[in-house]
Amino acid sequence: MLNLVLEKLMIKCENIRIENDKKLILDNVNLHIKKGEKILLKGESGSGKTSLIRAIIYFTEFLGEIIYEGKRIGIENINKYRNNIGYIGQKIPNFNQSVGEFLSIHKDFKFNKNLKLNDKKKFELLERLNFNESILNSKFNVLSGGERQRIAVIGVLLLNKPFYIFDEITSALDKKNINSLISLIMEDEERTVISVSHNIEWEKYSTRIIKMENGAIIEDRNI
Amino acid sequence: MKTGTFNISYLSLILYSAILIIPIIIFYYLKIKKIKTLFISIIRMLIQLTFVALYLEYIFEIESLIVNILWIFVMIIVANSSILNQSGLKIRKLFFYTIWAFLISIIFVFIPLLIVFDPKVLISPRYMIPLAGMILGNILRVNIISLERFYNALRNREEEFIYYIYLGASKWEALKPFLSESVGSAISPQIAMISTMGLVSLPGLMTGQILGGTSPVIAIKYQVMIMIAIFTTAVISTFIGIIFSVYGTLDRFLRLKKEVFK
């Protein structure tokens, strides 16, 4: 009981509705997410998973509200909100320089100017995902789809955000790499994670499983 | 040296047009359904050029700077609409964003021409109108390519843009790779054109001047000047053209507005 009281609400999605060319994509979805929850979002293709994610990251037009740590998200605080989130979508960016440079893209952005990241963390993450350090000199674009997904995850984990959103980031991975990747993402108890995936491996590491169908949540259970 | 251009008779022009039968046969054979479009285009060209000829006769005669500027302004308006339309964007939604880019580009390139020409010469319609026309024609070509590339890339690879935003990039930081790709791809044919100039193509300006009886040495100087002007405008206009358009195509949450695309 005490535990429940202490569980802090991180984000509330209230009545999220998306219509596209008069087709209902999301039908008044309500979702409350607590700090530290590890959510797996599943469902058939076209059930509305990616649309819900797109609404949460504010990259689609929708009706309804997103409330983050008690504050309604609008134009006045969108940047601050986005800075709390790490996101990887279904398509990993094209990048024609080395993996090392890919993992340093964030340094080009003014917002990260004062961010001090040590290389130790980078090497540790590479090792955890079964990469040899020499990968840093490889061209990012010549890597396989699965390798690129894993490198992209390292890229966002380095920034150590409180809230991570992943959309089908293990679609090109084999079982061994899936497990090392998911456990790396999920091991931090403080970290809140939503992951869209068809892959059953995520269930082992998730604390909550949400199933969607026809733009609505049809199942929501804690594990 | 004989000066003045040999006059072509209307009859000979009509007779010469008969060679169009060859492309028409090829179109017919390859089932390219452009024969009707071709005829419409030719008729449009005839009407437009007739009007321009009449209009130019008139403005050459009255020699008024205000009329010249108005005429250039009309050209910019037409170019702007044509660029938006051909790059797949809605004129109605973006007209007042991109027009400033082309206006600014023209001004930036035109004013330094005062180093080359005496002001009186530059503002005379015989110089001002053709120079502006050549520069604008080029703006048209490069901006259609750059805007089309930019928005195709952004629509197909929006996730890449979002990825950068969530890595802490500002709007412009996240757009920079797309911007550099599309400006680059619009500009590289320009560079190729400069480097093969005289070998592969004898440019229109030079040809015109030589036909008009100008000495080739003078014609070359004009050509070099116009190439520099054209190239500079190409880079400035594609760069700021995209930047200005972004104010009309992304909303405040940085989402692409669907309604601006055709």
Side-chain angles (χ1 to χ4, degrees):
Chain A
M1 191 60 204
L2 186 68
N3 243 343
L4 274 176
V5 178
L6 286 175
E7 279 176 338
K8 209 175 139 198
L9 201 59
M10 186 169 218
I11 184 165
K12 283 201 282 186
C13 307
E14 306 254 281
N15 298 317
I16 306 293
R17 184 182 176 87
I18 300 178
E19 265 180 63
N20 206 346
D21 297 327
K22 290 190 179 154
K23 194 177 163 241
L24 191 60
I25 309 287
L26 281 188
D27 186 7
N28 294 326
V29 171
N30 286 290
L31 178 63
H32 293 192
I33 299 167
K34 295 185 204 91
K35 201 167 165 39
E37 274 194 308
K38 310 283 188 278
I39 299 176
L40 170 63
L41 195 54
K42 48 183 223 175
E44 305 276 306
S45 304
S47 58
K49 307 181 299 288
T50 295
S51 300
L52 180 58
I53 295 292
R54 283 274 179 142
I56 297 174
I57 63 169
Y58 248 99
F59 262 101
T60 187
E61 285 180 34
F62 62 94
L63 296 174
E65 289 191 335
I66 304 281
I67 295 151
Y68 185 80
E69 292 186 330
K71 290 194 188 77
R72 203 189 76 87
I73 303 308
I75 191 64
E76 65 289 349
N77 54 10
I78 185 70
N79 288 338
K80 214 172 155 200
Y81 168 68
R82 282 182 172 153
N83 291 333
N84 287 301
I85 300 176
Y87 165 81
I88 302 178
Q90 293 177 14
K91 283 187 205 151
I92 306 294
N94 275 328
F95 190 75
N96 57 13
Q97 293 176 58
S98 72
V99 172
E101 274 157 304
F102 182 84
L103 291 177
S104 311
I105 302 175
H106 61 268
K107 288 183 186 158
D108 294 341
F109 306 145
K110 257 192 215 118
F111 173 76
N112 300 316
K113 202 175 56 193
N114 299 321
L115 196 69
K116 293 273 178 287
L117 296 177
N118 59 5
D119 283 347
K120 221 177 94 189
K121 175 95 176 161
K122 180 165 73 186
F123 292 126
E124 186 194 312
L125 293 176
L126 282 168
E127 200 189 319
R128 288 283 307 274
L129 295 187
N130 314 315
F131 283 117
N132 195 304
E133 271 176 35
S134 62
I135 190 90
L136 291 171
N137 299 318
S138 307
K139 277 234 169 190
F140 184 75
N141 274 350
V142 304
L143 302 183
S144 72
E147 285 171 325
R148 277 190 276 168
Q149 286 178 328
R150 284 147 63 210
I151 294 291
V153 169
I154 294 176
V156 297
L157 288 185
L158 277 174
L159 298 179
N160 205 17
K161 305 281 184 182
F163 185 21
Y164 280 94
I165 300 174
F166 299 115
D167 192 355
E168 290 286 3
I169 55 158
T170 49
S171 57
L173 293 184
D174 56 51
K175 204 170 167 187
K176 177 188 157 210
N177 281 316
I178 286 178
N179 276 300
S180 52
L181 183 85
I182 303 176
S183 68
L184 180 68
I185 289 171
M186 302 297 214
E187 68 186 7
D188 185 338
E189 284 194 9
E190 297 269 293
R191 186 181 284 159
T192 311
V193 178
I194 304 182
S195 175
V196 171
S197 183
H198 288 103
N199 204 302
I200 196 134
E201 299 296 321
W202 283 91
E203 291 195 10
K204 283 193 277 182
Y205 299 88
S206 302
T207 59
R208 183 174 168 194
I209 295 175
I210 294 173
K211 195 173 176 192
M212 293 188 70
E213 198 178 289
N214 295 328
I217 292 174
I218 55 159
E219 194 185 315
D220 185 348
R221 62 188 159 96
N222 290 309
I223 297 178
Chain B
M1 187 185 268
K2 184 178 168 283
T3 54
T5 314
F6 178 79
N7 194 1
I8 317 174
S9 75
Y10 287 108
L11 179 69
S12 61
L13 189 60
I14 293 167
L15 287 176
Y16 184 73
S17 311
I19 65 162
L20 277 173
I21 196 80
I22 303 164
I24 289 168
I25 291 169
I26 296 173
F27 275 16
Y28 192 76
Y29 176 71
L30 291 176
K31 297 198 169 86
I32 300 173
K33 291 183 181 118
K34 296 271 182 195
I35 298 176
K36 200 176 147 196
T37 328
L38 173 72
F39 275 104
I40 293 172
S41 306
I42 290 173
I43 289 165
R44 271 192 65 161
M45 174 179 79
L46 286 175
I47 297 170
Q48 284 160 203
L49 289 182
T50 309
F51 272 108
V52 169
L54 291 174
Y55 191 76
L56 286 182
E57 292 257 341
Y58 168 73
I59 51 177
F60 284 180
E61 210 157 285
I62 58 167
E63 295 241 1
S64 149
L65 179 61
I66 293 165
V67 175
N68 293 349
I69 289 173
L70 279 176
W71 179 239
I72 292 173
F73 201 66
V74 170
M75 291 200 285
I76 294 176
I77 290 172
V78 176
N80 184 40
S81 309
S82 181
I83 288 165
L84 290 172
N85 189 37
Q86 292 194 48
S87 53
L89 298 163
K90 281 196 187 140
I91 300 172
R92 201 162 37 92
K93 300 271 182 195
L94 294 171
F95 186 90
F96 289 105
Y97 293 95
T98 47
I99 188 123
W100 300 110
F102 305 131
L103 209 56
I104 291 169
S105 317
I106 281 277
I107 292 170
F108 262 94
V109 175
F110 230 84
I111 289 176
L113 280 177
L114 287 168
I115 302 168
V116 180
F117 293 101
D118 190 81
K120 266 192 207 140
V121 176
L122 187 62
I123 63 169
S124 76
R126 247 168 230 289
Y127 286 81
M128 195 166 177
I129 303 290
L131 286 171
M134 264 183 292
I135 293 170
L136 267 167
N138 197 62
I139 284 187
L140 193 78
R141 217 171 335 148
V142 290
N143 279 278
I144 291 169
I145 302 174
S146 67
L147 282 171
E148 193 184 13
R149 289 269 175 122
F150 181 77
Y151 286 107
N152 272 344
L154 202 54
R155 286 162 95 186
N156 293 333
R157 292 167 20 217
E158 196 189 9
E159 293 231 325
E160 194 170 326
F161 173 68
I162 300 175
Y163 181 84
Y164 294 137
I165 292 290
Y166 277 93
L167 225 45
S170 67
K171 171 169 84 174
W172 297 114
E173 284 169 335
L175 287 173
K176 208 172 156 190
F178 297 93
L179 193 60
S180 89
E181 245 177 69
S182 36
V183 171
S185 62
I187 293 310
S188 42
Q190 301 278 313
I191 296 176
M193 191 170 78
I194 293 176
S195 69
T196 56
M197 187 112 303
L199 291 175
V200 180
S201 60
L202 206 51
L205 173 67
M206 229 173 114
T207 316
Q209 281 186 309
I210 291 170
L211 286 176
T214 309
S215 105
V217 179
I218 297 176
I220 285 167
K221 285 190 276 185
Y222 268 84
Q223 189 57 42
V224 171
M225 176 194 73
I226 201 73
M227 286 318 290
I228 290 166
I230 279 176
F231 182 73
T232 310
T233 335
V235 179
I236 298 177
S237 67
T238 49
F239 180 59
I240 61 176
I242 291 173
I243 290 176
F244 285 26
S245 75
V246 164
Y247 286 100
T249 54
L250 291 188
D251 71 9
R252 295 196 296 164
F253 292 99
L254 311 182
R255 299 175 293 202
L256 270 173
K257 294 182 193 167
K258 285 191 205 108
E259 67 271 18
V260 299
F261 299 103
K262 283 206 293 183

